[in-house]
Every structure is written in structure tokens, then in C-alpha cells.
Amino acid sequence: MTSFGRRSLILSAAAVLVAAAGCSSTDASASITVPSPPAEEAALCRALDGELPDSVDGHDRDDPEPSSELTAGWGDAAIVLRCGVARPVGMSDPQGQGVEVDGVNWLLEERDDGPRFTTTYRETYVEVTLGSRYLHDIGPLTDLAGPVKKTVPATL
């Protein structure tokens, strides 16, 4: 084989490896924006982080990047929690939808890529986004309501 032939073969093999790596499924965590709440709310979020379960709705914990006590994830970003988020605009909507799960009230925001829930009547806002497979399923909130109720006091 000529030098040119070997170089072409090596470059072809390298291109296949790069393409395969780019298309392969990994356990890499999602990247999200970390909230920046006031200090007293951040303390509540740190307490919540210490109480969060290792598994939610059968998915193992897989925290997003960058790593923070204010964020958590399960199931390769199928379920993502952010604590200390800003008050959602939807809370001012008189037509807003809410759900109650195990003593914790949540604002429901329906989105194309999956629902987003944000706690209401708590000393800091906790947001949970669910992947599209959860369009009509609030099951993951049952695993998260207890820790929220325990660490983020109600305001009413």
C-alpha cells in the first residue's frame, strides 16, 4: 500500500470514529443555568439538595453541569430540578394551572419539550422540568414533594 493509500485509510478511520463518537449515546449530564438566589434561599436549596433521593421515577441521579447544590437531575436530564429560581411569570396568570402533590403546590407550565412545574407558597421557588415523555405524567413530583416539604417552608 502506498503512503497516500495508508494516509487515506487512517483519515477515513479517524472520520468514522469522530462521527461515531458524536452520534453515540453517553451518560453526559445536561448543561443548565444555575440559579443565583439570595443567601437565605440558597441555604434552603442546600438543605433540599441534602434530602433529594438517589432515584426519581426509576431514574438514577445524574446531576447537570455545572455541578451545584442548587441543581439536580435524574435519568440523563429526563428530570431536572433547579432551586432558587425567579418567580415564574405564569404565576400572575389567573388562568394558570396548578397541581397539588403530597402537600406541595406546583404551577404547571405546559411546553412542547415537556412540562415545567414550579412550587408555589414556599420560601423559595423550586422548578422541576420533565422531558417530553412526561407530557401527561406528574409521577416524578411524588418523589420530590417530600424533600421539598421537609426543607423549604411554606409561606401560608
Side-chain angles (χ1 to χ4, degrees):
M1 181 176 278
T2 68
S3 170
F4 177 75
R6 269 183 276 196
R7 183 179 302 156
S8 294
L9 181 62
I10 290 170
L11 290 175
S12 295
V16 168
L17 287 174
V18 169
C23 296
S24 67
S25 173
T26 68
D27 291 334
S29 299
S31 178
I32 62 169
T33 302
V34 175
S36 52
E40 57 276 357
E41 291 182 30
L44 296 172
C45 294
R46 285 190 297 278
L48 173 61
D49 185 63
E51 295 294 325
L52 291 173
D54 293 332
S55 176
V56 171
D57 198 45
H59 298 285
D60 290 335
R61 189 159 173 178
D62 183 18
D63 289 346
E65 294 294 330
S67 180
S68 170
E69 293 178 315
L70 304 178
T71 61
W74 295 266
D76 201 19
I79 303 162
V80 175
L81 179 146
R82 297 186 325 133
C83 184
V85 298
R87 182 179 190 271
V89 173
M91 284 197 186
S92 299
D93 182 356
Q95 302 298 317
Q97 299 178 39
V99 297
E100 187 273 335
V101 178
D102 296 336
V104 177
N105 294 308
W106 303 84
L107 169 71
L108 164 62
E109 296 174 277
E110 296 181 22
R111 305 170 319 136
D112 290 339
D113 56 347
R116 176 172 48 216
F117 297 90
T118 307
T119 57
T120 62
Y121 308 117
R122 297 274 158 188
E123 289 188 15
T124 193
Y125 295 106
V126 178
E127 171 193 278
V128 175
T129 55
L130 304 177
S132 59
R133 68 184 111 177
Y134 292 103
L135 284 176
H136 303 288
D137 182 2
I138 62 170
L141 296 181
T142 60
D143 292 330
L144 299 170
V148 168
K149 190 173 181 181
K150 181 176 181 178
T151 59
V152 182
T155 56
L156 290 180

